[in-house]
Amino acid sequence: MLHDATLTTDRLAGTHTSLDALHRASTDRSIAIRNVSKIFKTRQGPIQALSAVNLEVREGEFVSVIGPSGCGKSTLMMLLAGLDRASSGSIMIGGKTIDGPNADIGVVFQQDALLEWRSALSNVLLQAEIRKLEPKAARARAEELLKMVGLEAFHEAMPHELSGGMRQRVSICRALLHNPPLLVMDEPFGALDALTRDQLQVDLLRLWSNRAMTVVFITHSIAEAVFLSDRIVVMSPRPGKIETIIDVELPRPRRLAVRDTPAYAHYVQAVTDIFKTLGVLKEDEA
Amino acid sequence: MSVQAIDTPPLQAWYTRYEPPYALLTLIGLIIIWQLACSVLKVPAFLLPSPYDIMKDLVFNASYFVPHAAKTSLVVVLGFAASVAIGMPIAIMLSYSRILNKSLYPLLVGSQVVPKVAIAPLMLAWFGFGMTPKVVIVITIAFFPIVINAVVGLRSTPPQMIYLAQSMGASLWQVFFRFCLPQALPSILAGMKMAAVLAVIGAVVAEFVGSDAGLGYVILAASSNFDITRQFSAIVVLSALGMAFFWIIEIVERRMIPWHISIRGER
Ligand SMILES: Nc1ncnc2c1ncn2[C@@H]1O[C@H](COP(=O)(O)OP(=O)(O)O)[C@@H](O)[C@H]1O
Ligand SMILES: [Mg+2]
């Protein structure tokens, strides 16, 4: 519903790329991470951030990556976005090997990275300006996205007039403006309070609900990962590697109430246990 | 659903809207004290002229001051404009090239220990007596804060912002004009404000060293005639000039970066 509404509006337009064309050009949204390692050379010597990471993500899947701080989650995101190079191994997205900045993507960081000098709407439209998308269709899409996250009354608000949660919603809209086949989010809700966080999780699921894009969601919250994901990739620290992958078979669409079910508790427990075994979580003996 | 100023009590709202201009009042107070001191203590004008004496001189000899003030202003404006025109490209190069930055930046900072007054006569020897040496002297003084502040500003773009730009497929050009330059504007404008004030100082220094016109020359000429009042008058005009240039940049600032905290925070 989200796509069809705006995408039928575009037409031939000079040098502008229509959103529809973008959308069609990249229908394959699967990810294949093969044997990826990343070593940072620092003054204190080499740091192995990722070690032999293997992961396949299906089209339209919602995958969370969870692990303790410093286990290489952000590094993995940088590699997916083509903003850094793997030391060895390869990453393919939609059958294409990533070997430079990957623009077929939407990214959301923990800090919303809004441009302070642009209004909310204008921040979202930045994506269209840089990509030279057809302005009319882009604007319609931006307005629709802002509406979907409840910001229709804040088009002209400047970032400093928005709350943390609203700012992050704007940055999510910006990441989705061009209908990216892949959305990567690095602890996007990490800086928000619990209530706002719940709301943004719900908003995010709504935006993703037609599975038009693949989502890689990095978090350090077990509850968040279970609530959102189809699969949870659990990473172990130093050197960061994949410990286990857990399939979350909770029904969709998910409502907040799912968090009160035994099945949900079971998944949370399962991930918690893995971290206990890894020594990431320690408890006093009862 | 309208938003009302429910959290500001009416009296306080009135007060913030009509807050007295404290600085101006202080200045007026000081001038009154100065005037009273001169009149009551009968200080002779050749030691300390009263504000009234100075005002009289300025008003009655306006036709003398105006051309000199215009000359000085021209030097200031040309010197300032040249400083921006030279300083900005240098700042951009320094902020983009690590090697250039490492090899030039320390020298640039180090060069600031050279007293500009000391090299002024050199400029005269090299560039003759016209406008050129004066503009060059202004540049040597005003150029520095522009470069330093612009470099600081251009380097203040958070890395995430650059990553974001790259993930959108932005060209180097787009990264600069859409992300880095706006981000740097507050810092660049702060540098320009400093430069505007320093440019006035530079112009006076230049006119001290060798000139037959301008407010610096007026001061020198008055000093050799032991005309203290005239010197004060020139100082007043110079201060007004400096303030005016500073204000102009501040107005530009308000228009260009209304989103910035330094502007928002003010009342
Ligand atoms: N640019 C870098 N240079 C050197 N070391 C880095 C760099 N980026 C990350 N690291 C190191 O790699 C490890 C993983 O970092 P990161 O991917 O940011 O972890 P996470 O996001 O899971 O907290 C850390 O030990 C970190 O210090
Ligand atoms: Mg991280």
Side-chain angles (χ1 to χ4, degrees), chain B residues 72-97:
Chain B
T72 304
S73 303
L74 188 61
V75 173
V76 170
V77 170
L78 287 179
F80 178 82
S83 302
V84 175
I86 300 169
M88 283 308 295
I90 290 182
I92 292 167
M93 287 195 296
L94 288 182
S95 62
Y96 272 85
S97 159

Side-chain angles (χ1 to χ4, degrees), chain A residues 125-142:
Chain A
L125 287 173
L126 177 72
Q127 184 82 258
E129 287 171 30
I130 302 268
R131 291 173 188 271
K132 303 201 168 39
L133 303 182
E134 202 226 323
K136 250 195 184 147
R139 196 185 162 102
R141 166 95 171 126

